[in-house]
mmCIF file of all heavy atoms in Angstrom:
data_model
loop_
_atom_site.group_PDB
_atom_site.id
_atom_site.type_symbol
_atom_site.label_atom_id
_atom_site.label_comp_id
_atom_site.label_asym_id
_atom_site.label_seq_id
_atom_site.Cartn_x
_atom_site.Cartn_y
_atom_site.Cartn_z
ATOM 1 N N ALA A 28 0.823 -1.209 -0.010
ATOM 2 C CA ALA A 28 0.001 -0.016 0.013
ATOM 3 C C ALA A 28 0.852 1.263 0.010
ATOM 4 O O ALA A 28 0.423 2.305 -0.467
ATOM 5 C CB ALA A 28 -0.967 -0.007 1.204
ATOM 6 N N LEU A 29 2.063 1.165 0.545
ATOM 7 C CA LEU A 29 2.936 2.331 0.579
ATOM 8 C C LEU A 29 3.570 2.666 -0.766
ATOM 9 O O LEU A 29 3.934 3.805 -1.049
ATOM 10 C CB LEU A 29 4.106 2.119 1.564
ATOM 11 C CG LEU A 29 3.730 1.973 3.058
ATOM 12 C CD1 LEU A 29 5.026 1.916 3.885
ATOM 13 C CD2 LEU A 29 2.851 3.133 3.524
ATOM 14 N N ALA A 30 3.650 1.667 -1.660
ATOM 15 C CA ALA A 30 4.286 1.845 -2.964
ATOM 16 C C ALA A 30 3.648 2.997 -3.722
ATOM 17 O O ALA A 30 2.404 3.010 -3.898
ATOM 18 C CB ALA A 30 4.196 0.566 -3.750
ATOM 19 N N GLY A 31 4.436 3.971 -4.135
ATOM 20 C CA GLY A 31 3.918 5.112 -4.862
ATOM 21 C C GLY A 31 3.390 6.244 -3.984
ATOM 22 O O GLY A 31 3.112 7.319 -4.460
ATOM 23 N N ARG A 32 3.274 5.954 -2.700
ATOM 24 C CA ARG A 32 2.751 6.970 -1.765
ATOM 25 C C ARG A 32 3.804 7.405 -0.757
ATOM 26 O O ARG A 32 3.845 8.597 -0.392
ATOM 27 C CB ARG A 32 1.546 6.403 -0.982
ATOM 28 C CG ARG A 32 0.330 6.061 -1.841
ATOM 29 C CD ARG A 32 -0.818 5.635 -0.915
ATOM 30 N NE ARG A 32 -2.049 5.418 -1.645
ATOM 31 C CZ ARG A 32 -2.544 4.238 -2.015
ATOM 32 N NH1 ARG A 32 -1.809 3.132 -1.741
ATOM 33 N NH2 ARG A 32 -3.645 4.136 -2.687
ATOM 34 N N MET A 33 4.664 6.493 -0.302
ATOM 35 C CA MET A 33 5.685 6.824 0.680
ATOM 36 C C MET A 33 6.999 6.157 0.269
ATOM 37 O O MET A 33 7.009 5.121 -0.354
ATOM 38 C CB MET A 33 5.277 6.393 2.080
ATOM 39 C CG MET A 33 3.922 6.996 2.564
ATOM 40 S SD MET A 33 3.608 6.656 4.293
ATOM 41 C CE MET A 33 4.756 7.786 5.116
ATOM 42 N N ALA A 34 8.102 6.759 0.697
ATOM 43 C CA ALA A 34 9.425 6.223 0.364
ATOM 44 C C ALA A 34 10.286 6.316 1.594
ATOM 45 O O ALA A 34 10.050 7.102 2.551
ATOM 46 C CB ALA A 34 10.070 6.998 -0.750
ATOM 47 N N ALA A 35 11.363 5.444 1.655
ATOM 48 C CA ALA A 35 12.252 5.445 2.782
ATOM 49 C C ALA A 35 12.931 6.817 2.933
ATOM 50 O O ALA A 35 13.202 7.480 1.950
ATOM 51 C CB ALA A 35 13.302 4.361 2.618
ATOM 52 N N ASP A 36 13.200 7.200 4.165
ATOM 53 C CA ASP A 36 13.878 8.478 4.427
ATOM 54 C C ASP A 36 15.341 8.377 4.157
ATOM 55 O O ASP A 36 15.826 7.381 3.577
ATOM 56 C CB ASP A 36 13.564 8.945 5.844
ATOM 57 C CG ASP A 36 14.249 8.110 6.901
ATOM 58 O OD1 ASP A 36 14.987 7.169 6.603
ATOM 59 O OD2 ASP A 36 14.013 8.386 8.093
ATOM 60 N N GLU A 37 16.124 9.352 4.617
ATOM 61 C CA GLU A 37 17.563 9.420 4.287
ATOM 62 C C GLU A 37 18.359 8.232 4.838
ATOM 63 O O GLU A 37 19.409 7.888 4.280
ATOM 64 C CB GLU A 37 18.139 10.715 4.879
ATOM 65 C CG GLU A 37 18.013 10.785 6.386
ATOM 66 C CD GLU A 37 18.602 12.108 6.975
ATOM 67 O OE1 GLU A 37 19.760 12.354 6.752
ATOM 68 O OE2 GLU A 37 17.786 12.860 7.536
ATOM 69 N N TYR A 38 17.869 7.592 5.856
ATOM 70 C CA TYR A 38 18.621 6.439 6.436
ATOM 71 C C TYR A 38 18.297 5.132 5.696
ATOM 72 O O TYR A 38 19.090 4.197 5.736
ATOM 73 C CB TYR A 38 18.287 6.256 7.922
ATOM 74 C CG TYR A 38 18.805 7.381 8.742
ATOM 75 C CD1 TYR A 38 17.950 8.343 9.302
ATOM 76 C CD2 TYR A 38 20.185 7.543 8.997
ATOM 77 C CE1 TYR A 38 18.392 9.400 10.039
ATOM 78 C CE2 TYR A 38 20.651 8.571 9.794
ATOM 79 C CZ TYR A 38 19.767 9.506 10.294
ATOM 80 O OH TYR A 38 20.225 10.568 11.060
ATOM 81 N N GLY A 39 17.173 5.047 5.024
ATOM 82 C CA GLY A 39 16.800 3.812 4.312
ATOM 83 C C GLY A 39 16.680 2.658 5.326
ATOM 84 O O GLY A 39 16.189 2.818 6.433
ATOM 85 N N ARG A 40 17.157 1.479 4.884
ATOM 86 C CA ARG A 40 17.171 0.301 5.733
ATOM 87 C C ARG A 40 18.479 0.260 6.470
ATOM 88 O O ARG A 40 19.554 0.135 5.827
ATOM 89 C CB ARG A 40 16.949 -0.955 4.907
ATOM 90 C CG ARG A 40 16.887 -2.255 5.758
ATOM 91 C CD ARG A 40 16.818 -3.482 4.856
ATOM 92 N NE ARG A 40 16.780 -4.698 5.637
ATOM 93 C CZ ARG A 40 15.706 -5.354 5.987
ATOM 94 N NH1 ARG A 40 14.519 -4.942 5.567
ATOM 95 N NH2 ARG A 40 15.780 -6.485 6.698
ATOM 96 N N THR A 41 18.463 0.334 7.786
ATOM 97 C CA THR A 41 19.719 0.346 8.555
ATOM 98 C C THR A 41 19.490 -0.259 9.922
ATOM 99 O O THR A 41 18.360 -0.331 10.394
ATOM 100 C CB THR A 41 20.244 1.805 8.672
ATOM 101 O OG1 THR A 41 21.520 1.763 9.342
ATOM 102 C CG2 THR A 41 19.303 2.636 9.540
ATOM 103 N N ARG A 42 20.574 -0.689 10.520
ATOM 104 C CA ARG A 42 20.516 -1.214 11.880
ATOM 105 C C ARG A 42 20.566 -0.042 12.860
ATOM 106 O O ARG A 42 21.427 0.832 12.733
ATOM 107 C CB ARG A 42 21.645 -2.182 12.141
ATOM 108 C CG ARG A 42 21.761 -2.596 13.622
ATOM 109 C CD ARG A 42 22.815 -3.662 13.804
ATOM 110 N NE ARG A 42 22.455 -4.919 13.177
ATOM 111 C CZ ARG A 42 23.208 -6.001 13.188
ATOM 112 N NH1 ARG A 42 24.365 -5.981 13.810
ATOM 113 N NH2 ARG A 42 22.828 -7.094 12.602
ATOM 114 N N ILE A 43 19.653 -0.029 13.774
ATOM 115 C CA ILE A 43 19.645 0.994 14.819
ATOM 116 C C ILE A 43 19.905 0.374 16.170
ATOM 117 O O ILE A 43 19.246 -0.609 16.560
ATOM 118 C CB ILE A 43 18.267 1.739 14.861
ATOM 119 C CG1 ILE A 43 17.994 2.374 13.492
ATOM 120 C CG2 ILE A 43 18.272 2.793 15.942
ATOM 121 C CD1 ILE A 43 16.643 2.985 13.378
ATOM 122 N N THR A 44 20.845 0.884 16.919
ATOM 123 C CA THR A 44 21.188 0.428 18.254
ATOM 124 C C THR A 44 20.914 1.489 19.271
ATOM 125 O O THR A 44 21.315 2.660 19.090
ATOM 126 C CB THR A 44 22.663 -0.008 18.342
ATOM 127 O OG1 THR A 44 22.948 -0.957 17.323
ATOM 128 C CG2 THR A 44 22.984 -0.641 19.687
ATOM 129 N N SER A 45 20.189 1.146 20.299
ATOM 130 C CA SER A 45 19.876 2.105 21.397
ATOM 131 C C SER A 45 20.367 1.551 22.698
ATOM 132 O O SER A 45 20.124 0.399 23.022
ATOM 133 C CB SER A 45 18.361 2.318 21.468
ATOM 134 O OG SER A 45 17.846 2.890 20.313
ATOM 135 N N LEU A 46 21.087 2.420 23.460
ATOM 136 C CA LEU A 46 21.543 2.079 24.781
ATOM 137 C C LEU A 46 20.745 2.902 25.777
ATOM 138 O O LEU A 46 20.886 4.134 25.783
ATOM 139 C CB LEU A 46 23.043 2.358 24.901
ATOM 140 C CG LEU A 46 23.666 2.142 26.304
ATOM 141 C CD1 LEU A 46 23.591 0.618 26.669
ATOM 142 C CD2 LEU A 46 25.131 2.583 26.273
ATOM 143 N N TYR A 47 19.894 2.268 26.556
ATOM 144 C CA TYR A 47 19.052 2.997 27.536
ATOM 145 C C TYR A 47 19.804 3.115 28.877
ATOM 146 O O TYR A 47 20.391 2.165 29.355
ATOM 147 C CB TYR A 47 17.745 2.274 27.764
ATOM 148 C CG TYR A 47 16.788 2.398 26.590
ATOM 149 C CD1 TYR A 47 16.852 1.546 25.480
ATOM 150 C CD2 TYR A 47 15.813 3.398 26.582
ATOM 151 C CE1 TYR A 47 15.994 1.671 24.409
ATOM 152 C CE2 TYR A 47 14.981 3.541 25.502
ATOM 153 C CZ TYR A 47 15.057 2.664 24.446
ATOM 154 O OH TYR A 47 14.209 2.830 23.368
ATOM 155 N N PHE A 48 19.685 4.307 29.447
ATOM 156 C CA PHE A 48 20.313 4.582 30.763
ATOM 157 C C PHE A 48 19.202 4.515 31.824
ATOM 158 O O PHE A 48 18.112 5.108 31.633
ATOM 159 C CB PHE A 48 20.990 5.948 30.766
ATOM 160 C CG PHE A 48 22.192 5.975 29.843
ATOM 161 C CD1 PHE A 48 22.044 6.288 28.485
ATOM 162 C CD2 PHE A 48 23.465 5.681 30.309
ATOM 163 C CE1 PHE A 48 23.134 6.334 27.652
ATOM 164 C CE2 PHE A 48 24.551 5.716 29.477
ATOM 165 C CZ PHE A 48 24.403 6.043 28.136
ATOM 166 N N ASP A 49 19.515 3.875 32.970
ATOM 167 C CA ASP A 49 18.517 3.744 33.996
ATOM 168 C C ASP A 49 19.249 3.641 35.356
ATOM 169 O O ASP A 49 20.495 3.623 35.355
ATOM 170 C CB ASP A 49 17.667 2.484 33.782
ATOM 171 C CG ASP A 49 16.266 2.629 34.321
ATOM 172 O OD1 ASP A 49 16.101 3.306 35.387
ATOM 173 O OD2 ASP A 49 15.330 2.038 33.742
ATOM 174 N N THR A 50 18.531 3.566 36.409
ATOM 175 C CA THR A 50 19.141 3.347 37.714
ATOM 176 C C THR A 50 19.570 1.911 37.855
ATOM 177 O O THR A 50 19.074 1.054 37.080
ATOM 178 C CB THR A 50 18.173 3.732 38.856
ATOM 179 O OG1 THR A 50 17.095 2.801 38.840
ATOM 180 C CG2 THR A 50 17.662 5.163 38.676
ATOM 181 N N PRO A 51 20.398 1.526 38.812
ATOM 182 C CA PRO A 51 20.808 0.125 38.982
ATOM 183 C C PRO A 51 19.583 -0.795 39.208
ATOM 184 O O PRO A 51 19.627 -1.994 38.873
ATOM 185 C CB PRO A 51 21.697 0.138 40.201
ATOM 186 C CG PRO A 51 22.305 1.517 40.172
ATOM 187 C CD PRO A 51 21.172 2.411 39.702
ATOM 188 N N THR A 52 18.508 -0.261 39.774
ATOM 189 C CA THR A 52 17.310 -1.076 40.001
ATOM 190 C C THR A 52 16.221 -0.832 38.930
ATOM 191 O O THR A 52 15.075 -1.219 39.092
ATOM 192 C CB THR A 52 16.687 -0.767 41.388
ATOM 193 O OG1 THR A 52 16.507 0.667 41.507
ATOM 194 C CG2 THR A 52 17.634 -1.250 42.497
ATOM 195 N N ARG A 53 16.617 -0.167 37.826
ATOM 196 C CA ARG A 53 15.760 0.067 36.667
ATOM 197 C C ARG A 53 14.456 0.796 37.050
ATOM 198 O O ARG A 53 13.345 0.452 36.631
ATOM 199 C CB ARG A 53 15.413 -1.241 35.986
ATOM 200 C CG ARG A 53 16.636 -1.971 35.419
ATOM 201 C CD ARG A 53 16.214 -3.165 34.605
ATOM 202 N NE ARG A 53 17.275 -3.775 33.873
ATOM 203 C CZ ARG A 53 17.939 -4.886 34.248
ATOM 204 N NH1 ARG A 53 17.557 -5.509 35.382
ATOM 205 N NH2 ARG A 53 18.890 -5.378 33.529
ATOM 206 N N ASP A 54 14.565 1.859 37.839
ATOM 207 C CA ASP A 54 13.381 2.591 38.319
ATOM 208 C C ASP A 54 12.648 3.307 37.176
ATOM 209 O O ASP A 54 11.412 3.417 37.188
ATOM 210 C CB ASP A 54 13.782 3.596 39.409
ATOM 211 C CG ASP A 54 14.307 2.917 40.658
ATOM 212 O OD1 ASP A 54 13.733 1.892 41.039
ATOM 213 O OD2 ASP A 54 15.300 3.400 41.238
ATOM 214 N N LEU A 55 13.383 3.819 36.186
ATOM 215 C CA LEU A 55 12.731 4.622 35.115
ATOM 216 C C LEU A 55 11.798 3.732 34.312
ATOM 217 O O LEU A 55 10.646 4.124 34.052
ATOM 218 C CB LEU A 55 13.795 5.226 34.232
ATOM 219 C CG LEU A 55 14.627 6.344 34.816
ATOM 220 C CD1 LEU A 55 15.642 6.842 33.778
ATOM 221 C CD2 LEU A 55 13.750 7.528 35.232
ATOM 222 N N ILE A 56 12.270 2.545 33.885
ATOM 223 C CA ILE A 56 11.400 1.704 33.082
ATOM 224 C C ILE A 56 10.264 1.089 33.938
ATOM 225 O O ILE A 56 9.165 0.891 33.449
ATOM 226 C CB ILE A 56 12.209 0.622 32.326
ATOM 227 C CG1 ILE A 56 11.301 -0.128 31.400
ATOM 228 C CG2 ILE A 56 12.865 -0.335 33.326
ATOM 229 C CD1 ILE A 56 10.604 0.742 30.356
#
């Protein structure tokens, strides 16, 4: 359904890595 309507942005298909910061007891999450 996206074909012809939407296209990949500047990053295209790429691996994304996220490192989340939290307290030692993970209170934020």
